[in-house]
Amino acid sequence: MQFEPRSAAPHFDVITIGAGFAGLHMLHTARSMGLSVRVYEAADDVGGVWYWNRYPGARCDVESLQYSYSFDNDLEQEWVWTERYAAQPEILRYIEHVAHRFDLRRDICFRSRVKQASYSESRQRWEVETESGDRATCRYLVMATGALSMPRLPDIPGMESFEGRIYHTGAWPHESVDFTGSRVGVIGTGSSGIQAIPQIARQAERLVVFQRTANYSVPAKNAPLEPEAERAFKAKYREYRALAREVGTVYEFSDKSAREVSDADRLREYERRWQRGGVNIVHAYNDLMRDKASNDTIAEFVRSKIREIVKDPETADSLTPKDHPLGTKRVCVDIGYYETFNRDNVALVDLKKTPITHVGPTGVQVGESWHELDALVCATGYDALTGALLAIDVRGRGGLQLRRKWADGPRTYLGLMTAGFPNLFVITGPGSPSVLVNVIVGIEHHVEWIAECIGWLRRHGHTTIEATRDAEDRWVQHVNAAAERTLYPMANSWFLGANIPGKPRVFMPYVAKIGVYRRECQEIADAGYVGFDIRPAQPGDSR
Ligand code: NA7
């Protein structure tokens, strides 16, 4: 059914859905091109995932000085980060500062969750409607809905019967949550669980961690950011940003294979990087994500660290990842995660040995064992990459539903557009490398590409751009082939949709260096948008 706009529905050049890092940058960029823009945002303020993820310990695993916008020199010089890895409140303050500094809020409709977006072929416009019935039309629709923004509660029998407090890390309450004197269960040991567990353990009377898959985690070695170090980094900001546009996040990269050095040298290098902290360790050698034997060396190094830190051998064994290569699920960065299991008030339940039977009103049954709980924290992740996009009823040409088109997995061209949906752009969506790199670098690239594309269409008197099926098919094959050359498909990860029962198993991100991807996108644009069907304006159509 096509949406029938009331004549009063206002028209914009661009409507953007989402006011996180992506939506704000899109708004600022489109506005500086002289375009009229409206942003719809479900929350009551800016921030996206950093607005919602307020769980204890929430922190970015990319260093603060890199996890920020690069588009404005003054902004990056004036903002002062206090820690090597910024915690959620500080990142949210930064986003709020950006919104204030560029006066962005005036074009954002908060508390406005978009329900439907339909393309009108006769008007060559998108018609957008929110849950509360607010309607508007636009020429270009930009989905800045986030790759990890659709929280998922686990499908465990009896969840609804639990009478205690229940939380999801990705939808944490704004008021402070106090676990003092409480018996708390945490389900999930991905990045969110691994960050929250040490914090909750310090407060709760008892903490039970329900682990389905043991994950690799490396110490953050977080520390206050020394003003001198910050000054030195900022003095070279342009160089670092230029490098980030090639590599995503700047680490100490190596041009050596893990196989070409001696065991002793390799261990020394892993130890040096472990002591330094962060995901830098994954870049110790250039083949760790491509060669299983090389990957085994770093995986075994981290396993040995777990055995060294965790005193109880059975707990250490359960915490040791054995079923996937390191890095094929996102490597977690922690502050005292493994050490937490040496505390007397913390217990690990290994769901690989015995799965959860059911949740009852006062606790969780696991086989023969009953765990009495006052609160349950679900750190169970997201319907990643496609969840937030498909939560909106998006309808393209001929009323084609995006949900239906992607029923067997997402299909995009360049990760930016999908055939049958003219002038619909996706930021950091499936088919792009964004979630595999510093996502802000991915966002900035997409916003620049979209802005350049819109500018080009307008200069050439074109009205619509749409990916062709052929180009899309070739891109999907290209993305699959890139993943097959790596170890990524060896893990049941959210990259593959494996965390959602019934979701098609398709490797969604594009495993390429962002610099390579950037050049692919640029060459296509420079050649006049090869693989896109471009149509001229209709008579009398001004925008
Ligand atoms: P993740 O990384 O998807 O982790 C979710 C965790 O929850 C993971 O350990 C899952 O185990 C576990 N899980 C999910 N469903 C269940 C059920 N039903 N029972 C038990 N355990 C379950 O989400 P995060 O929020 O930690 O991190 C998401 C991203 O945000 C992260 O990559 C960073 O980029 C920031 P599984 O591994 O599926 O067996």
Side-chain angles (χ1 to χ4, degrees):
M1 197 181 71
Q2 286 282 333
F3 157 103
E4 285 302 325
R6 288 183 201 120
S7 51
H11 180 71
F12 300 90
D13 295 317
V14 178
I15 290 183
T16 295
I17 307 178
F21 269 108
L24 294 184
H25 188 31
M26 190 70 234
L27 165 58
H28 176 62
T29 306
R31 204 199 258 170
S32 49
M33 293 166 69
L35 301 174
S36 59
V37 192
R38 168 168 286 184
V39 177
Y40 285 114
E41 165 58 55
D44 58 15
D45 204 355
V46 295
V49 293
W50 296 108
Y51 174 93
W52 297 105
N53 278 257
R54 295 166 188 251
Y55 61 85
R59 194 178 285 282
C60 188
D61 55 11
V62 175
E63 294 189 32
S64 320
L65 284 160
Q66 297 198 51
Y67 194 77
S68 54
Y69 288 120
S70 74
F71 68 82
D72 187 284
N73 292 358
D74 294 339
L75 170 68
E76 69 186 8
Q77 290 296 331
E78 78 197 8
W79 183 263
V80 177
W81 296 101
T82 64
E83 292 181 274
R84 179 177 176 191
Y85 295 95
Q88 176 270 339
E90 186 167 23
I91 300 174
L92 189 58
R93 276 201 301 280
Y94 169 75
I95 301 173
E96 288 168 351
H97 167 74
V98 171
H100 177 72
R101 193 182 195 287
F102 298 101
D103 188 19
L104 299 179
R105 286 188 177 90
R106 73 181 149 91
D107 287 323
I108 308 175
C109 298
F110 293 107
R111 291 172 289 278
S112 300
R113 188 177 287 283
V114 173
K115 179 174 80 173
Q116 191 182 47
S118 307
Y119 184 68
S120 159
E121 291 181 61
S122 57
R123 305 175 79 212
Q124 295 182 300
R125 289 178 179 192
W126 281 92
E127 299 165 344
V128 175
E129 183 175 3
T130 68
E131 282 181 351
S132 60
D134 188 17
R135 293 160 181 233
T137 64
C138 62
R139 175 71 72 211
Y140 310 103
L141 180 60
V142 182
M143 308 298 271
T145 41
L148 293 159
S149 51
M150 194 69 182
R152 214 190 133 261
L153 285 168
D155 297 321
I156 300 172
M159 277 294 283
E160 66 296 339
S161 70
F162 187 65
E163 288 171 0
R165 294 175 285 158
I166 189 154
Y167 305 100
H168 190 287
T169 45
W172 202 259
H174 280 215
E175 59 279 10
S176 87
V177 174
D178 188 1
F179 291 119
T180 309
S182 300
R183 294 157 302 177
V184 183
V186 174
I187 304 176
T189 51
S191 297
S192 306
I194 281 176
Q195 289 183 339
I197 285 163
Q199 300 281 328
I200 296 174
R202 274 194 226 132
Q203 215 180 41
E205 181 187 304
R206 183 162 174 73
L207 171 63
V208 185
V209 176
F210 298 94
Q211 173 195 272
R212 188 163 69 182
T213 307
N215 244 318
Y216 298 90
S217 189
V218 297
K221 303 280 176 182
N222 187 43
L225 206 51
E226 295 301 329
E228 194 39 56
E230 176 156 14
R231 263 196 299 278
F233 194 96
K234 283 181 170 177
K236 291 179 136 187
Y237 236 144
R238 294 330 313 144
E239 270 173 59
Y240 286 124
R241 298 295 200 189
L243 186 54
R245 287 166 73 84
E246 275 301 307
V247 299
T249 314
V250 179
Y251 292 112
E252 290 174 87
F253 295 104
S254 162
D255 55 6
K256 285 199 185 112
S257 154
R259 288 164 177 257
E260 67 180 83
V261 295
S262 71
D263 291 354
D265 283 352
R266 206 167 43 231
L267 279 180
R268 232 188 333 271
E269 183 60 2
Y270 289 151
E271 183 63 34
R272 183 183 74 79
R273 289 180 184 243
W274 178 272
Q275 293 308 333
R276 204 170 160 249
V279 180
N280 192 43
I281 194 168
V282 182
H283 301 280
Y285 298 101
N286 67 4
D287 58 349
L288 294 175
M289 290 310 297
R290 281 184 285 114
D291 184 302
K292 176 70 169 55
S294 294
N295 190 286
D296 286 345
T297 64
I298 189 170
E300 190 43 41
F301 174 82
V302 175
R303 291 184 195 120
S304 73
K305 286 291 180 190
I306 299 170
R307 289 191 291 268
E308 202 177 293
I309 299 168
V310 180
K311 294 195 180 119
D312 174 53
E314 199 187 331
T315 306
D317 186 58
S318 286
L319 285 167
T320 302
K322 302 178 191 88
D323 63 358
H324 62 284
L326 183 143
T328 53
K329 287 186 168 199
R330 209 173 147 117
V331 174
C332 304
V333 178
D334 71 89
I335 301 178
Y337 176 63
Y338 294 119
E339 290 82 351
T340 299
F341 293 90
N342 293 332
R343 295 177 66 106
D344 293 338
N345 68 333
V346 176
L348 181 72
V349 176
D350 185 344
L351 303 179
K352 280 271 152 72
K353 289 184 182 154
T354 317
I356 295 177
T357 320
H358 67 267
V359 176
T362 59
V364 174
Q365 184 80 41
V366 181
E368 304 283 287
S369 313
W370 172 254
H371 302 273
E372 189 83 4
L373 298 172
D374 305 303
L376 202 46
V377 173
C378 297
T380 43
Y382 300 86
D383 186 350
L385 285 146
T386 55
L389 283 171
L390 300 184
I392 300 168
D393 184 5
V394 182
R395 294 170 186 232
R397 241 180 238 295
L400 174 66
Q401 274 191 297
L402 190 58
R403 283 176 200 151
R404 179 160 303 178
K405 182 183 168 185
W406 285 6
D408 295 325
R411 303 184 71 75
T412 67
Y413 180 37
L414 303 180
L416 280 156
M417 300 195 86
T418 186
F421 296 79
N423 291 357
L424 176 79
F425 298 94
V426 179
I427 301 184
T428 68
S432 82
S434 325
V435 290
L436 300 175
V437 298
N438 176 350
V439 76
I440 301 184
V441 176
I443 286 169
E444 290 196 327
H445 166 246
H446 277 180
V447 169
E448 286 163 21
W449 193 93
I450 294 166
E452 198 180 309
C453 177
I454 293 175
W456 183 88
L457 291 169
R458 291 167 68 87
R459 278 196 309 281
H460 289 80
H462 301 310
T463 302
T464 62
I465 181 165
E466 179 183 347
T468 65
R469 298 243 172 224
D470 265 8
E472 181 175 289
D473 289 347
R474 281 199 303 278
W475 186 256
V476 170
Q477 277 170 18
H478 182 59
V479 168
N480 287 336
E484 290 304 327
R485 289 193 292 272
T486 69
L487 304 177
Y488 279 106
M490 293 178 73
N492 283 324
S493 63
W494 55 257
F495 298 140
L496 263 168
N499 62 326
I500 307 288
K503 188 163 174 170
R505 275 181 80 94
V506 176
F507 194 86
M508 295 183 280
Y510 174 36
V511 191
K513 232 162 77 170
I514 192 137
V516 171
Y517 170 68
R518 181 187 299 277
R519 277 185 288 283
E520 287 175 324
C521 293
Q522 195 58 48
E523 280 164 17
I524 283 163
D526 290 347
Y529 295 90
V530 180
F532 289 98
D533 182 16
I534 293 157
R535 302 207 183 159
Q538 289 179 342
D541 192 351
S542 58
R543 46 177 192 164

